[in-house]
Amino acid sequence: MPGQQRDTERDFDAVIVGAGLAGLYMLHRLRGMGFSTRVFETGTAIGGTWFWNRYPGARCDIESLEYSYQFSDEIQQEWEWTERFASQPEILSYINHVADRFDLHGNIQLETRVEQARFDEAENRWAIRTNAGHEYRARFCIMATGCLSCRNTPDFKGLESFQGESYHTGDWPHEGVDFHSKRVGVIGTGSSAVQSIPIIAEEAEHLTVFQRTANYSVPAQNKPLDPAVQSRIKADYAGFRERNSNSFFGTLGDFENAGPSAKAISPEERDRFYEAAWKRGGVPFLNTFDDLMIDKESNDTAVDFICHKIREIVDDPEVAERLIPRQTFGCKRLCVDTDYFSTFNRPNVSLVDVSENAIEEVTPSGLKLADGDDFALDAIVLATGFDAMTGALLAIDPHGKSGVTLSEKWSEGPQTYLGLAVSGFPNLFTITGPGSPSVLSNMVPSIEQHANWIADCLGYLHETGHERIEATRAAETAWVAHVNEVANGTLYPKCHSWYVGTNVPGKTRVFMPYLGYAPYVEKCNEVAANGYEGFELSR
Ligand code: FAD
Ligand code: N01
């Protein structure tokens, strides 16, 4: 607890793992409360997602004025966003600006990967070991390791033998990559690919896109941010944040709700709403009608609209058919693009379907498919995503009570109480852990909500003289059941996606995020107000 640390270089009130948006704000809160705190970060600098993902076209798809911290009105007022959806360099500058303003750097140890964390039951402290072989101790261990930070690199035979250059979108070279006069292959057609493909296509001599699953994408309609719009929002930023936080996803964006059901109106009227949502751009397309992610027939109306758009945009009907997604709309993360589908009209771009004819191996000179077709390439871009939500936590694989590891505990999929804590792992917290709205919300408010909840909880433990907090098994079981029940009432878990972990071979199929930001926040507040209901507190 504040002031109780022993060896100030090795023993802390709290250790935070990760220096992205979550770790930084958590540090700010705990330091403000007088807790000795150390952040460990693998990267050579802070920023998390926005430090690592520097691929061409990387940007957020939640509006910049929403995808930002709200804890400091000063920062909120002084930071001027330049685009509707901020680019990676701008978000990274913003994060650094916040860290500089609050003087956070001194408590962050960079280039340090946490490799192991063990709970010492006699001492009620975590022992945390880093890649340098050093051990640190802390009363509390807070995992701010990110939902989308553990890269998924498929185990392609021969990948190391490739004589050209290969890159993962989630670990992009800081100096950038020049694709001029290169034959480039992009593997994947998720959000990272959809953002980078149009830009790589402009540079490359030839770009081949290897697509396993066609994806739905709607235009971003990104544009410079109108200063008048920015000033209007800043004039009542608190009200703007409040309205967003009362919404289902914790974000509203530029959005018009067309009613409870896509089936309740005529096809012509419905298409007018879809057309308006398409022109406004962005993920709020998903919210056009309330039942799009609940009722398959309604969902199919969005499918029809988008497929019609793809056929309209793409000149070659055969290519258009290959780009038409076959799965339920929205059950894979909706992509948001700038000129994605029209890129396939370029003469230097080709699309290869690897759904049936899989990538068999990487050869020294390119890629070979199962049927023996091969492609000569100078560069390969792995836009193959992440071992989402659990990957970074299981890479550390904390040892809880009686030495039980998190991977043992989660052998049938993640089990948490509120996505914040795990029974059997006292004094361990996860920011935006599985079972919380996280990736199905605007992540920045979700991060702040979790960090605030954890900080308040630690303050409460300190005031009430408790040294240990642990989620009860009963509360956890009930929460996991509730997360599943809510998800199963929707179409979200219906297809193959990283939401259910099926993008990583061998991962248990479980729908991981919690659906419903506003009800979730209410539940967390209730738990705290009831003296941390569902947790066991001890001295
Ligand atoms: P991260 O930013 O992932 O930070 C976690 C940090 O922990 C990383 O720096 C990592 O190196 C470090 N770390 C992990 N394990 C260890 C370890 N063992 N030891 C030491 N350090 C470790 N969300 C939205 O809401 N809207 C968007 O528009 C949006 N766009 C995105 C675009 C991209 C390209 C990606 C990949 C994600 C996007 N997200 C978006 C999700 C995004 O991840 C979150 O919004 C947010 O940045 C997560 O912050 P974080 O601090 O929780 O995690
Ligand atoms: O990763 P993904 P991502 N052979 O998992 C394919 C956020 N984000 O980095 O669909 C061939 O979505 C895989 O195919 P399939 C956002 O939350 C946001 O693009 O599994 N292909 C898929 O096409 C997003 O959802 C933004 O069949 C293989 C692709 O690789 C999340 O991060 C931008 C393969 C991976 O797509 C992850 O996005 C970027 C194989 N062996 C990211 N293995 C914004 O716009 C995988 N694939 C805000």
Side-chain angles (χ1 to χ4, degrees), residues 90-140:
E90 189 167 2
I91 301 173
L92 190 57
S93 303
Y94 165 79
I95 293 173
N96 276 293
H97 172 75
V98 175
D100 292 347
R101 170 59 66 91
F102 294 103
D103 199 16
L104 299 179
H105 297 281
N107 299 74
I108 303 170
Q109 191 169 316
L110 298 169
E111 299 183 62
T112 306
R113 193 175 62 250
V114 168
E115 292 197 329
Q116 203 186 74
R118 259 172 206 283
F119 188 64
D120 176 339
E121 291 182 64
E123 292 267 319
N124 283 338
R125 297 178 88 76
W126 281 91
I128 290 141
R129 183 168 285 277
T130 67
N131 58 329
H134 298 141
E135 188 165 290
Y136 299 84
R137 295 179 77 78
R139 172 77 66 218
F140 300 102

Side-chain angles (χ1 to χ4, degrees), residues 16-24 39-43 45-55 58-63 67 69 85-86 88 91 95 109 111-116 131 143-151 169-170 191-192 195 251 283 333 386 391-393 395-396 431-432 438-445 447 498:
I16 298 168
V17 189
L21 285 159
L24 294 173
V39 179
F40 294 111
E41 166 58 53
T42 307
I46 64 167
T49 289
W50 305 104
F51 167 82
W52 296 104
N53 292 264
R54 297 167 188 244
Y55 59 83
R59 60 178 68 249
C60 60
D61 66 2
I62 299 276
E63 309 228 3
Y67 190 76
Y69 290 124
F85 299 111
Q88 173 271 327
I91 301 173
I95 293 173
Q109 191 169 316
E111 299 183 62
T112 306
R113 193 175 62 250
V114 168
E115 292 197 329
Q116 203 186 74
N131 58 329
M143 297 296 185
T145 44
C147 294
L148 295 161
S149 59
C150 181
R151 291 182 288 281
T169 48
S191 302
S192 303
Q195 285 187 328
T251 170
V283 224
R333 171 62 151 81
F386 302 90
L393 296 167
I396 300 172
I431 301 187
T432 65
S438 56
V439 293
L440 280 176
S441 66
N442 174 358
M443 287 285 281
V444 190
I447 282 168
W498 60 258

Side-chain angles (χ1 to χ4, degrees), residues 368-379:
K368 189 183 266 185
L369 305 189
D371 71 355
D373 254 12
D374 57 16
F375 297 84
L377 300 169
D378 303 306

Side-chain angles (χ1 to χ4, degrees), residues 49-50 53 55 57-62 67 85-86 147-148 152-156 168-170 186-196 210-215 283 327 332-337 354-355 358-359 382-388 439-440 443 496-499 502-505:
T49 289
W50 305 104
N53 292 264
Y55 59 83
R59 60 178 68 249
C60 60
D61 66 2
I62 299 276
Y67 190 76
F85 299 111
C147 294
L148 295 161
N152 172 42
T153 300
D155 190 13
F156 291 125
H168 192 291
T169 48
V186 171
I187 303 176
T189 48
S191 302
S192 303
V194 158
Q195 285 187 328
S196 56
F210 296 90
Q211 170 187 277
R212 189 166 68 180
T213 309
N215 249 334
V283 224
Q327 70 276 12
K332 267 172 118 66
R333 171 62 151 81
L334 179 60
C335 298
V336 173
D337 72 274
V354 294
S355 59
I359 297 169
L382 295 156
T384 46
F386 302 90
D387 181 352
V439 293
L440 280 176
M443 287 285 281
H496 150 77
S497 76
W498 60 258
Y499 291 151
T502 54
N503 64 323
V504 174

